[in-house]
Amino acid sequence: AYVVTDLCSGCRYTECVTVCPVECFHVDERMTYIDPDNCIDCGGCAPICPVGAIQADFLLAADKKAWIGINRERAALTPVLTQRLPPLPGAPALPQGAGA
Ligand code: SF4
């Protein structure tokens, strides 16, 4: 499965939710999470994230592996998100013309 990591926390651009074909994404007040039981490993979400927060689980660095379990736990407790939300105030500015 693909995994949303700490780079999303406080940012939450949510481009990812618009490309997922199987509605994997869940959301809370800080970030999105992927339900690993629904993810079909299409890979569509990873390149569209403006901050590179999403990676395949097997590609995660050792210090990011904990996010596999965090995504599973949080996805089970939070609602599905299928439409974009405004980014959070802490989101890094994007180059002009990027993002929405
Ligand atoms: Fe959805 Fe594909 Fe990303 Fe999995 S890899 S969360 S199926 S967009």
Side-chain angles (χ1 to χ4, degrees):
Y2 278 66
V3 178
V4 188
T5 69
D6 55 313
L7 291 174
C8 184
S9 185
C11 178
R12 210 185 61 185
Y13 270 108
T14 62
E15 263 87 348
C16 51
V17 310
T18 69
V19 300
C20 182
V22 290
E23 301 189 355
C24 281
F25 283 92
H26 292 244
V27 67
D28 69 9
E29 68 286 354
R30 283 175 300 142
M31 62 182 282
T32 63
Y33 307 93
I34 291 170
D35 178 346
D37 293 329
N38 281 352
C39 177
I40 57 171
D41 290 319
C42 76
C45 54
I48 207 170
C49 176
V51 300
I54 305 175
Q55 278 195 301
D57 49 9
F58 64 91
L59 291 177
L60 287 172
D63 64 348
K64 305 264 187 187
K65 294 270 191 210
W67 287 94
I68 297 172
I70 294 169
N71 275 245
R72 179 178 289 282
E73 288 167 18
R74 293 300 299 160
L77 296 171
T78 52
V80 170
L81 182 72
T82 58
Q83 297 199 318
R84 286 205 63 199
L85 295 173
L88 294 173
L94 297 177
Q96 203 168 15

